[in-house]
Amino acid sequence: MKWAKFIEDKNKLFWFVHSAGWFGFALVYYLSSLLHDLRDIFVVIIFLNAYAGWLFSIPLRYIYRYVWNFTPLKIAASVIVTSAVTGVLWQVVQNINFWEIYKHGYRPEHIIYYTRNGLFSFSIMLSWSVLYFGTKYYQMLQKERQNVLQANTVAHQAQLKMLRYQLNPHFLFNTLNAISTLILVKENTTANAMVTKLSEFLRYSLDKDPMKKVTLESELQALKLYLDIEKVRFEERLQVNFNVAKDCQVALVPSMILQPLAENSIKYAIAVQEQGGAITVNVSKFGRDLLIELTDNGPGAEIKNGNLFREHGVGLANSRERLQALYGNEFSLVVSNNEPNGVKVNIRMPYETGTIE
């Protein structure tokens, strides 16, 4: 964590890399000097030359900051000119160090000799410049990539919240319509019971963050709250069965993922039959997957254009999109006709456990 913060501090990072680079230059310079029979005083010259290079290359940073937004051609020209000037000045200092310290005050025949080996120094400064721009462009690329990931994350979260919050108005409309009908036919006691259950369900729904997963046990409690509301409407016409493996109770699932599936069965299977029907929820674990099956014994689903008509309902489409957003390709949601009658919805998702934040 400390290292990550250090990397993010561009100023500290520059001085660290800058100093480490010139130390590396001094080390290579020293190792190459061992190939020649030189006096120990040459180590001092190596240190002074590296230190001079360290000092002369510092202004390049501020020059390159100034020309950063220039056109590529102007930037290239600026890099070549500044590298050449800085390289020559640095080479003059290196020659002075060598002649004054190692040669004890030697003077060359002509002043032009002070720039001897200037091409090598120019190449070093040019390499420093290329590394500087390369590092800056890499940092920009990483920052841009980070911004894209952050934007994708925000969009992903917004999508999940939108999908989740679509459920409440859809369900609320159906329930309030049922309550209104009960009041019109003077079934006030039944209407009051439904309002109470609705209040409990909405409180549970609003308490759950749509971005977080919940345990299957918690999700089944929410489903039972919803089915209790529907039982007020259908009474004995609605039968509910749960078959849940014990090791699946702690599995993590998207919050409110089962309610739209049950609502789909209520609408197309229970409500359309005079005798009502039954909804069965089976949950098991297979390998690394969690398997959820919700079935009803209604009249089944009509096939249109090769697809079951009930697949086009808001609830099933919404559930599929939420699972796609959360698991990518590591899930499946299949709707098929049940045997001997009715419809079944099978969901496969990764079996996950963990602590709920």
Short mmCIF file of all heavy atoms in Angstrom, two decimals, residues 102-138:
data_model
loop_
_atom_site.label_atom_id
_atom_site.label_comp_id
_atom_site.label_asym_id
_atom_site.label_seq_id
_atom_site.Cartn_x
_atom_site.Cartn_y
_atom_site.Cartn_z
N TYR A 102 42.54 14.39 -12.62
CA TYR A 102 43.33 13.21 -12.98
C TYR A 102 44.66 13.62 -13.64
O TYR A 102 45.71 13.00 -13.41
CB TYR A 102 42.52 12.32 -13.92
CG TYR A 102 43.10 10.93 -14.09
CD1 TYR A 102 42.92 9.96 -13.10
CD2 TYR A 102 43.84 10.59 -15.23
CE1 TYR A 102 43.43 8.70 -13.25
CE2 TYR A 102 44.37 9.33 -15.38
CZ TYR A 102 44.15 8.36 -14.38
OH TYR A 102 44.70 7.11 -14.52
N LYS A 103 44.64 14.67 -14.48
CA LYS A 103 45.84 15.10 -15.19
C LYS A 103 46.56 16.26 -14.50
O LYS A 103 47.52 16.82 -15.04
CB LYS A 103 45.46 15.53 -16.62
CG LYS A 103 44.99 14.39 -17.52
CD LYS A 103 46.11 13.42 -17.82
CE LYS A 103 45.67 12.37 -18.83
NZ LYS A 103 46.77 11.44 -19.17
N HIS A 104 46.05 16.66 -13.32
CA HIS A 104 46.70 17.71 -12.51
C HIS A 104 46.85 19.03 -13.27
O HIS A 104 47.94 19.58 -13.41
CB HIS A 104 48.08 17.24 -12.01
CG HIS A 104 48.03 16.00 -11.18
ND1 HIS A 104 47.51 15.99 -9.90
CD2 HIS A 104 48.42 14.73 -11.45
CE1 HIS A 104 47.58 14.77 -9.40
NE2 HIS A 104 48.14 13.98 -10.32
N GLY A 105 45.73 19.55 -13.78
CA GLY A 105 45.76 20.88 -14.39
C GLY A 105 46.19 20.90 -15.84
O GLY A 105 46.65 21.94 -16.34
N TYR A 106 45.99 19.81 -16.56
CA TYR A 106 46.34 19.76 -17.98
C TYR A 106 45.44 20.69 -18.77
O TYR A 106 44.24 20.80 -18.50
CB TYR A 106 46.20 18.32 -18.49
CG TYR A 106 46.26 18.19 -19.98
CD1 TYR A 106 47.50 18.19 -20.64
CD2 TYR A 106 45.11 18.08 -20.75
CE1 TYR A 106 47.57 18.08 -22.02
CE2 TYR A 106 45.17 17.97 -22.12
CZ TYR A 106 46.41 17.97 -22.75
OH TYR A 106 46.46 17.86 -24.13
N ARG A 107 45.99 21.38 -19.74
CA ARG A 107 45.23 22.26 -20.60
C ARG A 107 45.34 21.78 -22.04
O ARG A 107 46.46 21.60 -22.55
CB ARG A 107 45.76 23.70 -20.53
CG ARG A 107 45.58 24.37 -19.17
CD ARG A 107 44.09 24.66 -18.89
NE ARG A 107 43.95 25.37 -17.62
CZ ARG A 107 43.84 24.77 -16.43
NH1 ARG A 107 43.87 23.44 -16.38
NH2 ARG A 107 43.70 25.48 -15.33
N PRO A 108 44.22 21.61 -22.75
CA PRO A 108 44.28 21.17 -24.15
C PRO A 108 44.80 22.30 -25.04
O PRO A 108 44.79 23.47 -24.66
CB PRO A 108 42.82 20.83 -24.45
CG PRO A 108 42.04 21.67 -23.52
CD PRO A 108 42.84 21.77 -22.27
N GLU A 109 45.21 21.94 -26.23
CA GLU A 109 45.78 22.91 -27.16
C GLU A 109 44.73 23.91 -27.65
O GLU A 109 45.05 25.07 -27.91
CB GLU A 109 46.39 22.18 -28.37
CG GLU A 109 47.57 21.30 -28.01
CD GLU A 109 48.10 20.57 -29.23
OE1 GLU A 109 47.54 20.78 -30.34
OE2 GLU A 109 49.06 19.80 -29.08
N HIS A 110 43.49 23.47 -27.76
CA HIS A 110 42.45 24.37 -28.26
C HIS A 110 41.19 24.17 -27.42
O HIS A 110 40.90 23.09 -26.91
CB HIS A 110 42.15 24.08 -29.73
CG HIS A 110 41.38 25.18 -30.40
ND1 HIS A 110 40.02 25.30 -30.31
CD2 HIS A 110 41.82 26.22 -31.18
CE1 HIS A 110 39.62 26.36 -30.99
NE2 HIS A 110 40.71 26.94 -31.54
N ILE A 111 40.41 25.24 -27.26
CA ILE A 111 39.21 25.20 -26.43
C ILE A 111 38.18 24.20 -26.95
O ILE A 111 37.35 23.69 -26.19
CB ILE A 111 38.59 26.62 -26.33
CG1 ILE A 111 37.55 26.64 -25.21
CG2 ILE A 111 38.00 27.05 -27.65
CD1 ILE A 111 37.03 28.02 -24.90
N ILE A 112 38.21 23.92 -28.24
CA ILE A 112 37.24 22.99 -28.83
C ILE A 112 37.39 21.59 -28.25
O ILE A 112 36.44 20.81 -28.24
CB ILE A 112 37.41 22.95 -30.37
CG1 ILE A 112 36.19 22.25 -31.04
CG2 ILE A 112 38.70 22.25 -30.75
CD1 ILE A 112 34.90 22.99 -30.86
N TYR A 113 38.61 21.29 -27.72
CA TYR A 113 38.82 19.96 -27.15
C TYR A 113 38.01 19.72 -25.88
O TYR A 113 37.87 18.59 -25.43
CB TYR A 113 40.31 19.73 -26.89
CG TYR A 113 41.11 19.53 -28.14
CD1 TYR A 113 42.07 20.47 -28.55
CD2 TYR A 113 40.93 18.39 -28.93
CE1 TYR A 113 42.80 20.30 -29.71
CE2 TYR A 113 41.66 18.21 -30.10
CZ TYR A 113 42.59 19.17 -30.49
OH TYR A 113 43.32 18.99 -31.63
N TYR A 114 37.51 20.81 -25.28
CA TYR A 114 36.69 20.64 -24.09
C TYR A 114 35.37 19.92 -24.42
O TYR A 114 34.70 19.40 -23.52
CB TYR A 114 36.38 22.00 -23.47
CG TYR A 114 37.50 22.54 -22.61
CD1 TYR A 114 38.39 23.48 -23.11
CD2 TYR A 114 37.67 22.09 -21.30
CE1 TYR A 114 39.44 23.97 -22.33
CE2 TYR A 114 38.70 22.58 -20.51
CZ TYR A 114 39.58 23.52 -21.03
OH TYR A 114 40.61 24.00 -20.25
N THR A 115 34.98 19.92 -25.68
CA THR A 115 33.73 19.24 -26.08
C THR A 115 34.00 17.84 -26.63
O THR A 115 33.10 17.22 -27.19
CB THR A 115 33.00 20.07 -27.15
OG1 THR A 115 33.84 20.18 -28.31
CG2 THR A 115 32.65 21.45 -26.62
N ARG A 116 35.23 17.34 -26.49
CA ARG A 116 35.56 16.01 -26.99
C ARG A 116 34.65 14.97 -26.34
O ARG A 116 34.37 15.03 -25.14
CB ARG A 116 37.02 15.69 -26.69
CG ARG A 116 37.51 14.43 -27.37
CD ARG A 116 38.99 14.21 -27.09
NE ARG A 116 39.22 13.93 -25.67
CZ ARG A 116 40.44 13.72 -25.15
NH1 ARG A 116 41.52 13.81 -25.93
NH2 ARG A 116 40.58 13.48 -23.87
N ASN A 117 34.20 13.98 -27.12
CA ASN A 117 33.25 12.95 -26.69
C ASN A 117 31.85 13.52 -26.40
O ASN A 117 31.05 12.92 -25.70
CB ASN A 117 33.76 12.20 -25.45
CG ASN A 117 35.02 11.42 -25.73
OD1 ASN A 117 35.21 10.89 -26.83
ND2 ASN A 117 35.91 11.34 -24.73
N GLY A 118 31.60 14.71 -26.95
CA GLY A 118 30.29 15.34 -26.74
C GLY A 118 29.15 14.53 -27.34
O GLY A 118 28.02 14.57 -26.85
N LEU A 119 29.42 13.79 -28.42
CA LEU A 119 28.37 12.97 -29.05
C LEU A 119 27.89 11.89 -28.10
O LEU A 119 26.68 11.59 -28.03
CB LEU A 119 28.91 12.35 -30.34
CG LEU A 119 27.89 11.58 -31.19
CD1 LEU A 119 26.77 12.51 -31.64
CD2 LEU A 119 28.57 10.93 -32.40
N PHE A 120 28.84 11.30 -27.33
CA PHE A 120 28.44 10.28 -26.36
C PHE A 120 27.55 10.89 -25.27
O PHE A 120 26.52 10.31 -24.89
CB PHE A 120 29.68 9.65 -25.73
CG PHE A 120 29.38 8.71 -24.60
CD1 PHE A 120 28.88 7.45 -24.83
CD2 PHE A 120 29.57 9.12 -23.28
CE1 PHE A 120 28.59 6.58 -23.78
CE2 PHE A 120 29.30 8.27 -22.23
CZ PHE A 120 28.80 7.00 -22.47
N SER A 121 27.94 12.07 -24.78
CA SER A 121 27.14 12.73 -23.74
C SER A 121 25.77 13.12 -24.28
O SER A 121 24.76 13.05 -23.57
CB SER A 121 27.88 13.97 -23.23
OG SER A 121 29.09 13.60 -22.62
N PHE A 122 25.74 13.55 -25.56
CA PHE A 122 24.45 13.87 -26.20
C PHE A 122 23.55 12.64 -26.22
O PHE A 122 22.35 12.72 -25.96
CB PHE A 122 24.70 14.40 -27.60
CG PHE A 122 23.48 14.37 -28.48
CD1 PHE A 122 22.39 15.19 -28.23
CD2 PHE A 122 23.41 13.51 -29.57
CE1 PHE A 122 21.26 15.16 -29.04
CE2 PHE A 122 22.30 13.47 -30.39
CZ PHE A 122 21.21 14.30 -30.12
N SER A 123 24.11 11.47 -26.53
CA SER A 123 23.31 10.24 -26.59
C SER A 123 22.77 9.87 -25.21
O SER A 123 21.64 9.37 -25.10
CB SER A 123 24.15 9.09 -27.16
OG SER A 123 25.21 8.75 -26.28
N ILE A 124 23.57 10.14 -24.17
CA ILE A 124 23.09 9.85 -22.81
C ILE A 124 21.92 10.75 -22.47
O ILE A 124 20.89 10.30 -21.93
CB ILE A 124 24.23 10.02 -21.79
CG1 ILE A 124 25.34 8.99 -22.03
CG2 ILE A 124 23.69 9.89 -20.36
CD1 ILE A 124 24.92 7.56 -21.84
N MET A 125 22.07 12.04 -22.74
CA MET A 125 20.98 12.99 -22.44
C MET A 125 19.74 12.71 -23.30
O MET A 125 18.61 12.86 -22.84
CB MET A 125 21.46 14.42 -22.67
CG MET A 125 22.45 14.91 -21.64
SD MET A 125 21.71 14.87 -19.97
CE MET A 125 23.14 15.28 -18.96
N LEU A 126 19.97 12.29 -24.54
CA LEU A 126 18.84 11.95 -25.40
C LEU A 126 18.12 10.72 -24.86
O LEU A 126 16.88 10.65 -24.88
CB LEU A 126 19.33 11.69 -26.83
CG LEU A 126 18.25 11.43 -27.87
CD1 LEU A 126 17.34 12.64 -28.01
CD2 LEU A 126 18.87 11.06 -29.22
N SER A 127 18.88 9.75 -24.35
CA SER A 127 18.28 8.56 -23.74
C SER A 127 17.48 8.95 -22.50
O SER A 127 16.38 8.43 -22.28
CB SER A 127 19.38 7.56 -23.35
OG SER A 127 20.07 7.11 -24.49
N TRP A 128 18.04 9.88 -21.70
CA TRP A 128 17.31 10.36 -20.52
C TRP A 128 15.98 10.98 -20.97
O TRP A 128 14.93 10.74 -20.35
CB TRP A 128 18.16 11.39 -19.79
CG TRP A 128 17.60 11.85 -18.48
CD1 TRP A 128 17.92 11.40 -17.23
CD2 TRP A 128 16.58 12.86 -18.28
NE1 TRP A 128 17.18 12.06 -16.27
CE2 TRP A 128 16.35 12.96 -16.89
CE3 TRP A 128 15.85 13.68 -19.13
CZ2 TRP A 128 15.42 13.85 -16.33
CZ3 TRP A 128 14.91 14.56 -18.59
CH2 TRP A 128 14.71 14.64 -17.22
N SER A 129 16.02 11.78 -22.04
CA SER A 129 14.81 12.46 -22.53
C SER A 129 13.77 11.45 -23.02
O SER A 129 12.58 11.58 -22.74
CB SER A 129 15.18 13.42 -23.67
OG SER A 129 16.13 14.37 -23.23
N VAL A 130 14.24 10.45 -23.75
CA VAL A 130 13.32 9.42 -24.27
C VAL A 130 12.67 8.67 -23.12
O VAL A 130 11.46 8.39 -23.13
CB VAL A 130 14.07 8.46 -25.21
CG1 VAL A 130 13.19 7.26 -25.56
CG2 VAL A 130 14.51 9.18 -26.47
N LEU A 131 13.46 8.33 -22.11
CA LEU A 131 12.92 7.64 -20.94
C LEU A 131 11.92 8.52 -20.20
O LEU A 131 10.89 8.03 -19.71
CB LEU A 131 14.06 7.23 -20.00
CG LEU A 131 14.92 6.05 -20.46
CD1 LEU A 131 16.11 5.86 -19.52
CD2 LEU A 131 14.09 4.77 -20.52
N TYR A 132 12.20 9.82 -20.13
CA TYR A 132 11.28 10.74 -19.46
C TYR A 132 9.93 10.76 -20.18
O TYR A 132 8.88 10.61 -19.55
CB TYR A 132 11.89 12.14 -19.42
CG TYR A 132 10.97 13.18 -18.82
CD1 TYR A 132 10.89 13.35 -17.44
CD2 TYR A 132 10.16 13.98 -19.63
CE1 TYR A 132 10.03 14.29 -16.89
CE2 TYR A 132 9.30 14.92 -19.09
CZ TYR A 132 9.25 15.07 -17.72
OH TYR A 132 8.39 16.01 -17.17
N PHE A 133 9.98 10.95 -21.49
CA PHE A 133 8.73 11.01 -22.25
C PHE A 133 8.02 9.65 -22.25
O PHE A 133 6.79 9.59 -22.17
CB PHE A 133 9.00 11.47 -23.69
CG PHE A 133 9.04 12.95 -23.85
CD1 PHE A 133 10.23 13.64 -23.72
CD2 PHE A 133 7.89 13.67 -24.12
CE1 PHE A 133 10.29 15.01 -23.87
CE2 PHE A 133 7.93 15.04 -24.26
CZ PHE A 133 9.13 15.73 -24.14
N GLY A 134 8.81 8.59 -22.32
CA GLY A 134 8.20 7.26 -22.28
C GLY A 134 7.49 7.01 -20.96
O GLY A 134 6.37 6.47 -20.94
N THR A 135 8.12 7.42 -19.87
CA THR A 135 7.50 7.25 -18.55
C THR A 135 6.24 8.09 -18.43
O THR A 135 5.22 7.63 -17.90
CB THR A 135 8.50 7.63 -17.44
OG1 THR A 135 9.67 6.83 -17.56
CG2 THR A 135 7.88 7.42 -16.07
N LYS A 136 6.31 9.34 -18.92
CA LYS A 136 5.14 10.22 -18.84
C LYS A 136 3.97 9.67 -19.66
O LYS A 136 2.83 9.68 -19.20
CB LYS A 136 5.52 11.61 -19.35
CG LYS A 136 6.46 12.37 -18.43
CD LYS A 136 5.76 12.91 -17.21
CE LYS A 136 4.87 14.07 -17.53
NZ LYS A 136 4.25 14.65 -16.30
N TYR A 137 4.27 9.20 -20.85
CA TYR A 137 3.20 8.65 -21.70
C TYR A 137 2.64 7.36 -21.09
O TYR A 137 1.43 7.10 -21.18
CB TYR A 137 3.71 8.38 -23.12
CG TYR A 137 3.73 9.60 -23.99
CD1 TYR A 137 4.92 10.11 -24.49
CD2 TYR A 137 2.54 10.26 -24.32
CE1 TYR A 137 4.94 11.26 -25.29
CE2 TYR A 137 2.55 11.39 -25.12
CZ TYR A 137 3.75 11.89 -25.59
OH TYR A 137 3.75 13.01 -26.38
N TYR A 138 3.50 6.58 -20.45
CA TYR A 138 3.03 5.36 -19.78
C TYR A 138 2.11 5.73 -18.63
O TYR A 138 1.05 5.10 -18.44
CB TYR A 138 4.22 4.55 -19.27
CG TYR A 138 3.82 3.34 -18.46
CD1 TYR A 138 3.34 2.18 -19.08
CD2 TYR A 138 3.90 3.35 -17.07
CE1 TYR A 138 2.95 1.09 -18.34
CE2 TYR A 138 3.51 2.26 -16.31
CZ TYR A 138 3.04 1.13 -16.96
OH TYR A 138 2.66 0.04 -16.20
#
